[in-house]
Amino acid sequence: MGTYAAVVLAGGAARRMGGVDKPALPVGGRSMRDRVLAAVEDAAPRVLVGPGDGVADGVRITREDPPGGGPVAATAAGLALLDPDSTVVALLAADLPLLTRAAIGDLLTHLDGERSVDGVCFVDADGRRQSLCGVWRVAALRAGLARLAAERGGSLAGAPVRALLAGLAVGEVPWAGDGPPPWFDCDTDEDVRRAEEWVR
């Protein structure tokens, strides 16, 4: 697979954790956000949608409109900062502390091998798509955003990710690697504790 871009969504409100800046919480001594950015260190460009304090040099930073407008609005903001020649993008939540470069490589390989799909994402053992742990063809995402904006009178705020992906052909990738699943996201304090145990 050739080059790819990455958009990391870090603007959520973390209501189940008291509204903290969840991606900034440390797991194994490093913020979840920085762990996700490290997993896509070879992506060009890397775009973070959300607060950017302390982010590594070279990462492009933007915010969704309005701030807190949800993952679809954040996806639109992130794609707006991609280079014109970007054709493939990893679209990732910023609270995936167990994500690895190997997992991203697995997704990229599957996308490269499935020419008929618009993107691929991991699925868990129960068959649930982990949509914000996937790689996508940029043109397909942009078409989905345009369709959704037209349906919603121009506003993407509050739109669910499933609505964005509704018209896309999605390949599903089961995790076959060693260790904990790369899509494990931290929505609660207990999730953070579990992730800490896994990275020890």
Side-chain angles (χ1 to χ4, degrees), residues 58-133:
V59 176
R60 301 176 187 178
I61 300 167
T62 188
R63 289 304 305 262
E64 66 275 28
D65 182 23
V72 175
T75 297
L79 294 189
L81 289 192
L82 296 188
D83 296 336
D85 59 350
S86 294
T87 59
V88 172
V89 63
L91 184 62
L92 306 164
D95 62 347
L96 306 175
L98 308 177
L99 187 66
T100 63
R101 178 61 187 85
I104 296 295
D106 196 20
L107 291 169
L108 290 168
T109 298
H110 275 82
L111 182 64
D112 194 39
E114 297 188 43
R115 298 291 183 176
S116 62
V117 302
D118 297 313
V120 299
C121 64
F122 283 117
V123 291
D124 65 20
D126 295 321
R128 288 186 296 259
R129 287 181 181 170
Q130 306 300 311
S131 301
L132 294 182
C133 191

Side-chain angles (χ1 to χ4, degrees), residues 43-62:
R46 291 184 295 168
V47 179
L48 177 74
V49 186
D53 296 342
V55 173
D57 291 342
V59 176
R60 301 176 187 178
I61 300 167
T62 188

Side-chain angles (χ1 to χ4, degrees), residues 12-58:
R15 291 179 182 87
R16 282 183 275 180
M17 299 178 74
V20 300
D21 182 4
K22 181 173 63 169
L25 293 176
V27 170
R30 191 176 195 185
S31 74
M32 290 191 278
R33 175 200 66 201
D34 288 351
R35 284 180 167 273
V36 173
L37 287 169
V40 290
E41 193 167 17
D42 59 338
R46 291 184 295 168
V47 179
L48 177 74
V49 186
D53 296 342
V55 173
D57 291 342

Side-chain angles (χ1 to χ4, degrees), residues 162-176:
R162 67 178 177 277
L164 169 61
L165 303 180
L168 275 61
V170 182
E172 299 179 346
V173 181
W175 174 238

